[in-house]
Amino acid sequence: MKRTGRIVGALLLLLFLVGVGLLGTGAGLDLVRQGVNRLGDGLISIERAEGRLLGRFTLTGIGVTVPTLFIKVARLEWNWNPAKLMGGEFHIAAIDLSEVDVELRDGPKAPDDGEPVILPKSLLPLSLALDRLSIASLRLRDSDGEELLRLDRIDGGLAGRGGLVSIGDFSLQGPDVGLTVHGSLNAGRNWRLDLLGSWRLAGYGFHPLAGTFTATGPLAAPHLSLGLNQPADIRIDGDVVNLFDRPAWTATVAARGVDLSALVEDCPKIDLATVSGKLS
């Protein structure tokens, strides 16, 4: 019995040392990288890894291939506090990515099984705190390599407990588009949205536009408000129903003192004192 106990103790010590070697050293991280490259079957590839899994590490030359997407990331820096897992919190101090390239690819369409989408009652098994997410340079391309969207920066943070996720000052900025938003998503209250933000748009046939927006109510049937503040006063209020089944929408439009030439490029001067109506 004593000998058996010694053997079990030695095996447990060996497993502990192996775990420390994999999770707590740079050599262990690189061994994990090699395993991902070998076992990923072409789905994920990582050129280089530095740091340690139990703390801060950096991955460079990441490639992710799925049937409809190819994602390339030049650099990913991850910094987290694994000790807080013992207290039931998944705490990430920072996730920083740079030079993210997303290429859309033609692939088989997923079959529609006709089953309704059922959302879970809770989002997270643990409390989550993401202090900082940043992406420096993101490009979206079509299957021919043509650029569809370019963003200079994405920044944000969030915190979640149970069914409630709070979004703090999320920002998306590019040469032609900009978006800032904060608010919450509560899965425990029928996946209720409560978001508020601002937006801007330039190019795509428009002169520079800027405004605000809100999204409230259940995720499957939200109420949306979109306001254009510059260079005209336009407000659109809409309601969406059956978003995950058979989506339909209705909206009302109200505008005052609109000069279409100030909104649309190459448009003759057309002044509209007031505009109102319904869309569906």
Side-chain angles (χ1 to χ4, degrees), residues 52-58 76-82 91-96 129-132:
R52 57 192 183 93
L53 283 173
L54 289 179
R56 179 180 298 180
F57 61 85
T58 301
L76 181 152
E77 298 182 37
W78 175 286
N79 184 13
W80 70 307
N81 187 351
H91 177 230
I92 306 171
I95 302 176
D96 300 313
L130 174 56
D131 297 339
R132 184 183 78 232

Side-chain angles (χ1 to χ4, degrees), residues 2-19:
K2 290 183 179 180
R3 183 173 182 178
T4 302
R6 292 194 192 99
I7 293 174
V8 172
L11 289 175
L12 290 175
L13 178 60
L14 179 61
L15 288 175
F16 174 76
L17 293 175
V18 170

Side-chain angles (χ1 to χ4, degrees), residues 5-90:
R6 292 194 192 99
I7 293 174
V8 172
L11 289 175
L12 290 175
L13 178 60
L14 179 61
L15 288 175
F16 174 76
L17 293 175
V18 170
V20 170
L22 285 175
L23 302 178
T25 67
L29 175 63
D30 192 62
L31 188 62
V32 172
R33 177 193 68 83
Q34 295 177 41
V36 169
N37 288 344
R38 283 197 301 267
L39 302 176
D41 195 25
L43 177 64
I44 301 177
S45 63
I46 304 170
E47 293 180 1
R48 187 175 179 182
E50 297 177 334
R52 57 192 183 93
L53 283 173
L54 289 179
R56 179 180 298 180
F57 61 85
T58 301
L59 306 178
T60 55
I62 304 169
V64 179
T65 303
V66 295
T68 57
L69 285 177
F70 174 68
I71 303 173
K72 183 170 62 175
V73 180
R75 184 180 181 89
L76 181 152
E77 298 182 37
W78 175 286
N79 184 13
W80 70 307
N81 187 351
K84 290 195 174 183
L85 290 173
M86 303 299 293
E89 181 183 44
F90 185 28

